[in-house]
Amino acid sequence: MDRSAEFPRWKAQCLNKVDLSRKGCVDEDVVDLVQLLNTREQFFTTSSCAGRILLIDGDINGFEVQKQNCCWLLVTHKPCVKEDVMAALKKASGNAVLKFEPLVLHVQCRQLQDAQLLHSVAIDSGFRNSGITVGKKGKTMLAVRSTHGLEVPLSNQGKLMVTEEYIDFLLDIANQKMEENKKRILRFYNCLQHALERETITNSHHKIKEENNPSCSPKKERNPAEAHSKCILEENDKDIENDDDDNPGLSVTVFPKDY
Amino acid sequence: MDRSAEFPRWKAQCLNKVDLSRKGCVDEDVVDLVQLLNTREQFFTTSSCAGRILLIDGDINGFEVQKQNCCWLLVTHKPCVKEDVMAALKKASGNAVLKFEPLVLHVQCRQLQDAQLLHSVAIDSGFRNSGITVGKKGKTMLAVRSTHGLEVPLSNQGKLMVTEEYIDFLLDIANQKMEENKKRILRFYNCLQHALERETITNSHHKIKEENNPSCSPKKERNPAEAHSKCILEENDKDIENDDDDNPGLSVTVFPKDY
């Protein structure tokens, strides 16, 4: 069901709404990326979180409470120091858990091929758990996700189970992950800009051809993999998670190369 | 690019290959689900891991080493006891990290609408981070993923940073997550079976109609959301993660109900 004709109306409706997040605005580290996407007619963002360190107070049955109702003891989009966590932990009465959550971005796309392009850029930038959703009513969405998280239980029914030294060690790791996440966002921005420029050039070539010879419209669908060149990845790419398909821990079947 | 005509050949090629995973076979807890999928002409699985507790020895720069080359100190698909982890930790010389990884399943689908159906079932069963990938050559894949993980740094350059009591506490949580993951796999199996039965009935109705009146072929595309009824979710669903769209921590825009 192609409902791309309704896309401009959906986009206008969405971008004119009040931001209902707790924070009420887009996170600083992701503003440029969100703006770049929203200036393009084929995309708009519906939700975003740049990445954060989060201390939540889970329920005492070991299950995390629903996100809407859970008690956030601390949340920061900046590097975090031990003193802040120790102060926040004093308010914990359940099972406190420290998390690092990397970028999450939901982008509605006009057509499947737009989502394919964006997906390809996201994967190349290190967001390997990204995926497309095609909804009941033709809504096509890309969720940008990384596997690059951290989830560490710290207290048991209000009792702290780790030392201050451990929290220091843990925050070092969380802060490093925050830094790496920022690099990936920047890489995503650069790769996307590059891909969109190439796409514009390709489209205007097709348009000129079509205008000169209307019967000469391209027969092939655009191939998103060719629409953008691979970005040059930065040094830290040893840290990019491998696709699960490459993981020897999974029961896998390998396809021939030309598959 | 619709290459669904090539799908049966791809499927045969894939299922006849040797399993190249470290383990060399499909995990017990996911065998039924894998078999159910592979008996249907529109699906085949390309990799799977039922869920596991994993102790890896990361590099000393705080970055996780590449999965292929990393040192696994311990891996189990069953509940785990402290003694096993303590023994495995003795072999750690870098930064050991304990992880719980829930089900990961990659399913190649004949067409986008097959992936939509499966995606919808996965989400309803609690695997909220699932997503579709549409490849360069028309390969349509669903990755089934949950947000229900755990990732806990335990040692710093070979030095254990937590107590045995903490490891006990942590394994309780990891084992609970393992149990919950198993329930979700079972729920996924049941929901999928239900959805596929309904789909078969719907398709055979269409076929009878077409045979009686060849001009009466259905004009509407199949709607995956209607092709399977919602499964009755079990008690533990307070633990199902909410969709990120519902998370007030994200900068969000809410659509009108009829969107």
Side-chain angles (χ1 to χ4, degrees), chain B residues 54-70:
Chain B
L54 197 61
L55 186 67
I56 58 163
D57 206 9
D59 79 6
I60 54 167
N61 298 317
F63 290 113
E64 187 184 320
V65 288
Q66 296 236 354
K67 277 184 179 172
Q68 290 106 320
N69 310 318
C70 77

Side-chain angles (χ1 to χ4, degrees), chain B:
Chain B
M1 185 175 16
D2 183 5
R3 292 185 50 177
S4 53
E6 294 178 59
F7 189 83
R9 186 174 57 80
W10 290 344
K11 180 169 179 169
Q13 263 180 352
C14 177
L15 297 184
N16 288 332
K17 290 257 161 203
V18 176
D19 188 328
L20 294 174
S21 64
R22 287 195 194 195
K23 196 178 168 193
C25 63
V26 173
D27 297 336
E28 195 185 318
D29 288 332
V30 86
V31 163
D32 290 345
L33 181 59
V34 164
Q35 280 180 350
L36 175 61
L37 286 162
N38 287 330
T39 56
R40 305 297 296 216
E41 60 178 6
Q42 67 271 45
F43 301 120
F44 65 93
T45 59
T46 63
S47 69
S48 63
C49 174
R52 59 192 177 188
I53 294 170
L54 197 61
L55 186 67
I56 58 163
D57 206 9
D59 79 6
I60 54 167
N61 298 317
F63 290 113
E64 187 184 320
V65 288
Q66 296 236 354
K67 277 184 179 172
Q68 290 106 320
N69 310 318
C70 77
C71 178
W72 291 11
L73 300 170
L74 179 140
V75 58
T76 173
H77 297 80
K78 304 274 170 211
C80 189
V81 292
K82 186 186 68 182
E83 289 66 28
D84 294 341
V85 174
M86 295 311 295
L89 275 169
K90 292 207 174 96
K91 294 174 273 171
S93 56
N95 292 0
V97 178
L98 189 121
K99 290 185 180 192
F100 169 69
E101 295 180 340
L103 171 75
V104 178
L105 183 66
H106 290 95
V107 187
Q108 193 164 335
C109 307
R110 191 175 46 191
Q111 286 183 299
L112 183 63
Q113 63 191 28
D114 301 312
Q116 277 177 271
L117 173 83
L118 199 57
H119 192 190
S120 176
V121 172
I123 299 286
D124 287 348
S125 312
F127 296 98
R128 313 286 284 196
N129 272 2
S130 302
I132 299 169
T133 302
V134 183
K136 308 163 199 173
K137 298 181 178 174
K139 190 170 90 163
T140 301
M141 187 78 84
L142 181 75
V144 179
R145 299 186 208 97
S146 169
T147 63
H148 195 241
L150 204 58
E151 178 160 347
V152 184
L154 292 183
S155 72
N156 184 10
Q157 300 184 44
K159 183 194 163 204
L160 190 61
M161 299 296 290
V162 294
T163 61
E164 280 198 37
E165 191 194 6
Y166 178 77
I167 289 178
D168 228 3
F169 163 65
L170 185 62
L171 288 176
D172 262 358
I173 297 171
N175 291 338
Q176 277 176 39
K177 284 186 185 261
M178 179 88 87
E179 265 312 299
E180 175 57 26
N181 177 60
K182 267 173 108 165
K183 283 187 195 160
R184 290 183 192 188
I185 293 174
L186 189 62
R187 198 188 292 151
F188 190 7
Y189 180 88
N190 290 332
C191 288
L192 180 63
Q193 207 167 29
H194 198 186
L196 293 174
E197 275 165 20
R198 282 185 61 99
E199 193 194 39
T200 309
I201 293 166
T202 311
N203 286 351
S204 58
H205 279 183
H206 284 317
K207 218 175 164 192
I208 292 166
K209 268 193 186 171
E210 266 181 81
E211 277 165 9
N212 291 339
N213 179 2
S215 70
C216 179
S217 60
K219 285 192 183 81
K220 265 191 174 179
E221 267 183 43
R222 188 189 63 202
N223 181 343
E226 285 162 12
H228 76 102
S229 64
K230 294 271 173 194
C231 309
I232 297 154
L233 296 180
E234 288 160 33
E235 268 182 30
N236 233 333
D237 286 337
K238 61 170 180 173
D239 189 37
I240 287 187
E241 305 87 349
N242 298 299
D243 196 336
D244 286 321
D245 277 336
D246 300 332
N247 183 347
L250 296 175
S251 178
V252 293
T253 311
V254 174
F255 293 100
K257 268 197 173 167
D258 61 345
Y259 183 55

Side-chain angles (χ1 to χ4, degrees), chain A residues 226-258:
Chain A
E226 286 163 13
H228 76 102
S229 65
K230 294 270 175 196
C231 307
I232 296 153
L233 296 179
E234 286 160 35
E235 268 183 27
N236 232 334
D237 286 337
K238 61 172 181 172
D239 189 37
I240 288 188
E241 305 87 349
N242 299 300
D243 196 338
D244 287 319
D245 275 335
D246 300 332
N247 182 348
L250 296 176
S251 179
V252 291
T253 311
V254 174
F255 293 99
K257 269 199 175 167
D258 61 344

